[in-house]
Amino acid sequence: MLDDVDHILFHEQTILSRLDELARDITEAYTGMDLTVLAVLNGSLIFAADLLRRIPLPLKLDCLSVASYHGGTESSGVVTFDQLSLPDIDDRHVLIVDDILDSGRTLHAICQKLRAETRPKSVRICVLLKKLRPRAEEMEADFVGFDIGDEFVIGYGLDYAERYRNLPFVGVLKREVFESSLPAAGEGAGIAP
Ligand code: IMP
Ligand code: MG
């Protein structure tokens, strides 16, 4: 697994120190409010687990299981929701926690669905990583761990073809790994976020 990593961007200790700061900002923003955190599976699993244990608020936690379909390393914009019903977030402040803001399509689709089908008091977004690139959908995050360049990263919850989520750091995947496994045109590999 380590052989497939080109270089490490953020070591575990760097991530955890940044989470201390993020958790402080989030605690300050939501003190005295009814907060529900919606963690987007699978990518945010490890990030959310470490972040939420640093937030001493009486929050509720729910998960959203979505799949966004990818051709190689780029999302197609087709987002499907795996659960039959959304969590009950009416009249609550909602913080969506996701692994990465890339094209913005996944978070945009989630926000649209929440706005259409639920009545939260507010919806804000927290991501571990934000890619500095033009977005397909207008989408900003309110709480961001780190800005990164337009590179494909793995580890600390982030996957390529469902692998590497358990790496304790965030690293850049070697180009040869995804270039050698790109699907033929029109095939499209389904990779859960
Ligand atoms: P979107 O392009 O913003 O819709 O990103 C959707 C999902 O694609 C994210 O939640 C991630 O699961 C995945 N993704 C985007 N960029 C990366 C990356 O660099 N590494 C691993 N997964 C990524
Ligand atoms: Mg993914």
Side-chain angles (χ1 to χ4, degrees), residues 9 31 38 42 50 59 80 95 97-98 107-108 119 132 156 172 187 193:
L9 281 182
T31 296
L38 290 183
N42 297 326
D50 281 341
L59 56 82
T80 55
L95 182 65
V97 174
D98 205 356
L107 282 165
H108 187 261
R119 296 282 170 272
L132 299 175
Y156 198 71
V172 175
E187 231 172 75

Side-chain angles (χ1 to χ4, degrees), residues 78-116:
V78 181
V79 179
T80 55
F81 291 78
D82 291 347
Q83 62 261 79
L84 292 175
S85 60
L86 290 171
D88 181 7
I89 52 170
D90 287 357
D91 294 323
R92 297 189 61 84
H93 294 280
V94 172
L95 182 65
I96 300 171
V97 174
D98 205 356
D99 52 0
I100 188 166
L101 176 58
D102 184 12
S103 74
R105 291 182 178 113
T106 304
L107 282 165
H108 187 261
I110 291 171
C111 287
Q112 262 194 334
K113 192 170 171 77
L114 292 186
R115 293 213 170 89

Side-chain angles (χ1 to χ4, degrees), residues 167-193:
L167 288 172
F169 53 79
V170 173
V172 175
L173 186 65
K174 281 185 183 162
R175 291 195 70 85
E176 65 223 47
V177 177
F178 57 83
E179 279 171 357
S180 66
S181 59
L182 278 181
E187 231 172 75
I191 303 171

Side-chain angles (χ1 to χ4, degrees), residues 132-179:
L132 299 175
R133 56 161 282 184
R135 313 235 180 274
E137 296 290 347
E138 201 170 303
M139 179 55 55
E140 262 316 314
D142 303 276
F143 303 94
V144 176
F146 304 95
D147 289 337
I148 63 169
D150 193 3
E151 304 179 286
F152 197 81
V153 293
I154 48 166
Y156 198 71
L158 291 127
D159 74 303
Y160 175 67
E162 287 306 322
R163 291 173 60 212
Y164 311 106
R165 292 195 198 274
N166 53 323
L167 288 172
F169 53 79
V170 173
V172 175
L173 186 65
K174 281 185 183 162
R175 291 195 70 85
E176 65 223 47
V177 177
F178 57 83
E179 279 171 357

Side-chain angles (χ1 to χ4, degrees), residues 1-2 5 7-17 19 46-47 50 128-129 146 154-158 163-172:
M1 208 164 48
L2 289 175
V5 178
H7 59 279
I8 293 177
L9 281 182
F10 307 110
H11 286 276
E12 188 172 16
Q13 229 9 276
T14 310
I15 297 171
L16 295 179
S17 303
L19 294 202
I46 292 169
F47 171 43
D50 281 341
L128 175 68
L129 305 172
F146 304 95
I154 48 166
Y156 198 71
L158 291 127
R163 291 173 60 212
Y164 311 106
R165 292 195 198 274
N166 53 323
L167 288 172
F169 53 79
V170 173
V172 175

